[in-house]
Amino acid sequence: MNTPDPGRRPPRVVVIGAGIVGCSLADELTARGWTDVTVLEQGPLPAPGGSTSHAPGLVFRTSPSRTLTAFARYTVEKFSSLTSAGVPCFQPVGGLELATTPERLADLHRRAGYAASWGVRGEIVDAARCKELWPLLDASVVLGGFHTPEDGLADALHASRAQLDRAVARGARALDRHTVTGIERADGRVTGVITDRGAFPADHVVSAAGFWGPVVGRMAGVDVPLQPLAHQYARTGPLPELRDATAEASKPILRFQDRDLYFREHGDRLGIGSYAHRPLPVDPFAVLGHDEARARGMDMPSSYPFTPEDWAPSWEDCRRLMPALREAGIESGFNGVFSFTPDGMPVLGESRLLRGFWLAEAVWVTHSAGVAKAVAEWMVNGRPSIDVHECDLTRFEEAQRSPAYVRERGAQQFVEVYDVVHPLQPMERPRPLRVSPFHARQQQLGAYFLEGGGWERPHWYEANAPLAADLQVPGRDAWSARHWSPIAAAEARATRERVALYDMTPLRRLEVTGPGALAFLDRMTSNNLRKKPGAVTYTLLLDESGGIRSDLTVARLAPDRFQVGANSPADLDHLLRHAPDGVHVRDITSGTCCVGVWGPLARDLVQPLTPDDFSHEAFGYFRAKQTYVGHVPVTALRLSYVGELGWELYTTADLGLRLWDTLWEAGRGLGVIAAGRSAFDSLRLEKGYRAWGRDMTDEDNPYEAGVGFAVRMDKADFVGRPALERAGEPERRLTPLLLDDPASVVLGSEPVYVDGAPAGYVTSAAYGCTLGRCVAYAWLPAGLPDGTGVHVEYFGEKVPATVAEEPLFDPKMTRIRR
């Protein structure tokens, strides 16, 4: 909690950048009582020359990301209430996304599902309705569209001015023509900002500098992983068809994503943006200042000269879509600079390396007010009111922070802005980046690799194709068949019937040591960790509101040494922030590896290789031992994320290949196979095991998420306990569903309808290879009894499903505890 004591002065905040994000943040902070806010801007106000100054202002709220959609919804809500100099800051003209190919039309149905899941009103419309909404269209090339009536146009400059004026009225100040030249710090905290016109003391500094973010970040010693790229925007000359226009815009903002184009009206002209051209990267350290840019004939630092050769193909596509443009010309154009990150998401949060230094970067106008609200809540209250883990500045691995990686992935994000991207689709480069010690063996077995966190992760192995020959696995539609194979069902069956090796190396491993390690971890987590060495505990990292920051598996290997199975870099960051003197937390993932050995024959495989007794009586469930497998020293944890007997076997990376080969050779007579993530997901969903970040986040408390068993209210105080004591009965629950038709599948994020109305959304889903039906988990109203019929909308089709009782498989845990 960063709120100051009532008797002390309010915190001093300096916001760097008076674009839409900085102005929105100043407004949100001052509205929450933090009124000692200074906004510094290197350019002139009200149009300082960054991305905000040329932003076309199209706000389409629907996104595959629930968080981005929530940001955009708040932006529309807020801007709709603002005016500046008598000008409305938002025009709700609606949005229309076109399909000219069957693939795109299917994707628009998918987007309509996202909209229903996230609470955005929209509908799929036919070509005739598209023509009615946009008379300039050639309806013969249009197959249909997705219409969102409440989307529209944000006037970024007026919205910036309106919010900054409100902030100033509450006590903030805005200073233009102040170029930041340094960040002052002492004892690991920010203390002020140096500019060419003086220094400004600060308790908190927020970089909202847009594509200058890496420049400010370098001054603070903080990486800002974003790549600026230029994007083409042009205006036509006057169009006869728009000669009677009486407003700046009256038709919906328009996307022609099949050709990477968008359109909006400017009175009797059209504005057209294109992502169809080659990536045009910009070095943020070489961008000119405002006055120097003007002296060189540029309108502003973020507006680069138009490149007609990049525009020509897009102009032909525009003319084919709108015959009225065949006689028109381009009156003006520029290449405007925007920020892209390696995963296309904003970069938000406070740096642990420099406390009090915050990032609010890589944010577009669409999400600006929502981001500002979340960051303001984070600063004032200690946490945002919505889940922002997808945007957390800690989310990138060290291997994903190199300038070359950020540049390459940022450019690819530009290329894919309007592409139909499958949720499992990996980028092609740079790969492979991170590989486990077993990678060579996996290649020999024909592994199909996808990527996560920079790791190459096998999803199935072609070597197991013969095992799938006699399986009756339902066929799939083209979308759900991508990055999937019926081989995964064979691997799941082999795990249930024999034994399989799973590469668990990418799972994050932390080591926590020191005399105060037990007290520290017990205070930070929800379950009881005060157990003897050799115990393993599933527990939760909660925030002060009782929300689930992460779930952990904690093995006590010695009185003062723990191995922690965690999720993201944010877990390491969080523990490091709170670790007291004498407690050491370090990430050991890269120097170690892990094989999951699971299946009814797992003991038959491992026992002959180890001198220790691996019987159930000697090595019980949720226990740990340090032993040997063959010649390899291992830490063995008796855990199972797939619902079968087995162990996680950890060793150092240099011995990993020997461990794999030892297990593989010993398992030949048992029919051992290597199995991948697709089988893993199927098996874990049959057991109802949650995946943090997909099934539960810090928006959810343990009782809602079905992990209340990991909370011990009878132990000493722990983070989040007071909030859980105040929590009432859950109004929503993470609910298991079984699709009624064995041939139906869903993938995740689809809306769920109860009594014909949207009531929630799917988090995770996979075909349950043992159950013979697709399993889906969904957030739904609490109290739905088992057997309740619901519908899941999949590409526009309402698929019947039934609320089921969990766990769906082996409810008495007999397969694991034997």
Side-chain angles (χ1 to χ4, degrees), residues 394-402 434 453-455 508 567-569 587:
T394 65
R395 70 187 182 273
F396 295 112
E397 305 283 350
E398 186 175 355
Q400 297 173 304
R401 290 180 169 274
S402 71
R434 307 176 78 187
W455 289 100
R508 184 167 306 280
N567 285 294
S568 73
D587 192 327

Side-chain angles (χ1 to χ4, degrees), residues 13 15 17-18 22-23 26 35 37-46 160-161 163-169 171-178 197 200:
V13 181
V15 178
C23 293
T35 54
V37 175
T38 300
V39 181
L40 299 176
E41 173 54 57
Q42 64 179 344
L45 291 175
S160 297
R161 182 60 181 268
Q163 293 178 98
L164 193 57
D165 286 348
R166 294 203 310 193
V168 169
R173 57 178 173 170
L175 304 175
D176 63 0
R177 296 196 175 278
H178 280 66
R197 299 176 66 178
F200 297 83

Side-chain angles (χ1 to χ4, degrees), residues 60-388:
F60 287 93
R61 291 168 296 165
T62 304
S63 165
S65 165
R66 179 170 172 263
T67 299
L68 288 188
T69 301
F71 287 159
R73 288 178 60 192
Y74 181 76
T75 299
V76 168
E77 175 187 328
K78 185 177 187 182
F79 288 4
S80 295
S81 68
L82 297 177
T83 60
S84 177
V87 177
C89 294
F90 187 78
Q91 300 178 63
V93 294
L96 179 63
E97 303 179 47
L98 300 177
T100 60
T101 65
E103 181 186 31
R104 180 66 63 180
L105 185 59
D107 191 61
L108 292 187
H109 278 283
R110 183 171 68 114
R111 291 183 63 77
Y114 290 141
S117 290
W118 315 145
V120 174
R121 187 164 71 95
E123 63 174 342
I124 299 294
V125 296
D126 61 17
R129 177 60 174 154
C130 292
K131 175 73 172 178
E132 183 181 341
L133 290 166
W134 256 89
L136 275 64
L137 296 176
D138 178 356
S140 69
V141 304
V142 176
L143 300 181
F146 175 44
H147 181 219
T148 45
E150 281 97 31
D151 288 345
L153 286 167
D155 189 317
L157 283 177
H158 278 99
S160 297
R161 182 60 181 268
Q163 293 178 98
L164 193 57
D165 286 348
R166 294 203 310 193
V168 169
R170 298 185 189 113
R173 57 178 173 170
L175 304 175
D176 63 0
R177 296 196 175 278
H178 280 66
T179 299
V180 173
T181 59
I183 305 296
E184 294 184 309
R185 68 194 88 175
D187 300 323
R189 281 203 63 90
V190 71
T191 59
V193 176
I194 304 171
T195 75
D196 59 350
R197 299 176 66 178
F200 297 83
D203 304 300
H204 298 273
V205 173
V206 185
S207 177
F211 58 78
W212 283 287
V215 179
V216 175
R218 180 176 292 182
M219 297 177 195
V222 176
D223 285 337
V224 181
L226 68 81
Q227 173 61 53
L229 289 111
H231 150 66
Q232 290 201 307
Y233 192 79
R235 291 196 192 197
T236 69
L239 300 177
E241 292 80 0
L242 300 178
R243 69 167 62 91
D244 296 327
T246 57
E248 181 186 13
S250 59
K251 300 175 184 61
I253 52 178
L254 184 69
R255 277 175 169 166
F256 180 24
Q257 290 147 303
D258 288 324
R259 289 296 182 269
D260 296 310
L261 293 164
Y262 63 82
F263 303 81
R264 59 154 293 179
E265 296 168 282
H266 292 282
D268 62 355
R269 295 161 168 81
L270 286 186
I272 307 168
S274 172
Y275 293 100
H277 55 83
R278 62 194 168 94
L280 300 168
V282 173
D283 181 357
F285 294 90
V287 175
L288 303 176
H290 186 277
D291 293 339
E292 188 177 0
R294 295 300 295 268
R296 296 195 185 186
M298 298 166 59
D299 289 338
M300 60 187 80
S302 62
S303 177
Y304 280 53
F306 194 64
T307 48
E309 65 275 14
D310 293 310
W311 178 254
S314 291
W315 186 229
E316 290 306 310
D317 290 330
C318 294
R319 289 170 159 176
R320 280 192 289 271
L321 180 68
M322 298 185 189
L325 298 180
R326 291 171 186 167
E327 303 301 322
I330 295 300
E331 187 174 73
S332 63
F334 63 94
N335 292 355
V337 183
F338 292 90
S339 299
F340 290 80
T341 60
D343 60 2
M345 300 293 287
V347 181
L348 312 177
E350 182 191 25
S351 169
R352 177 177 53 82
L353 301 177
L354 183 59
R355 302 293 181 90
F357 183 79
W358 296 76
L359 297 181
E361 297 290 8
V363 182
W364 293 9
V365 171
T366 298
H367 311 113
S368 55
V371 163
K373 179 184 180 216
V375 173
E377 290 172 334
W378 209 340
M379 296 174 70
V380 175
N381 302 327
R383 68 180 295 274
S385 59
I386 66 169
D387 166 48
V388 296

